[in-house]
Amino acid sequence: MSISKQEAKQKLERLIFYDESSSEWVQDVWDMSPTLGEGAAKLVEAFDSLIDYCPEAQLEKMLQTLYKDHLE
């Protein structure tokens, strides 16, 4: 049973951004450095595109791999 794209996005956001949303993270980076903030914004755009275009089964497989690596 594969997970939904929304659930995958939430889990990936927790893994990458901890308790912040991706937009809050971008704003925090932007506040420290507008140049780095611009890069952070582009990274989040790529993250969102990955979620949109990647099939649910592949997202689930990626999550399993990332969580496994994170726990080791």
Side-chain angles (χ1 to χ4, degrees):
M1 177 178 156
S2 94
I3 63 174
S4 70
K5 288 188 178 205
Q6 185 61 34
E7 185 179 0
K9 182 177 182 177
Q10 290 171 346
K11 288 182 180 212
L12 284 168
E13 281 185 331
R14 271 184 258 139
L15 186 64
I16 298 168
F17 306 111
Y18 302 103
D19 291 330
E20 286 186 305
S21 70
S22 57
S23 59
E24 289 173 321
W25 177 77
V26 168
Q27 187 60 52
D28 288 347
V29 174
W30 200 286
D31 290 343
M32 289 186 290
S33 167
T35 303
L36 293 176
E38 212 171 301
K42 288 178 184 178
L43 181 64
V44 169
E45 280 182 46
F47 170 78
D48 289 338
S49 293
L50 172 72
I51 300 298
D52 289 341
Y53 294 112
C54 193
E56 290 175 349
Q58 287 182 326
L59 287 171
E60 184 173 11
K61 177 115 173 110
M62 181 176 60
L63 273 168
Q64 289 171 352
T65 301
L66 290 172
Y67 271 102
K68 180 182 170 224
D69 292 346
H70 183 72
L71 295 174
E72 291 180 348

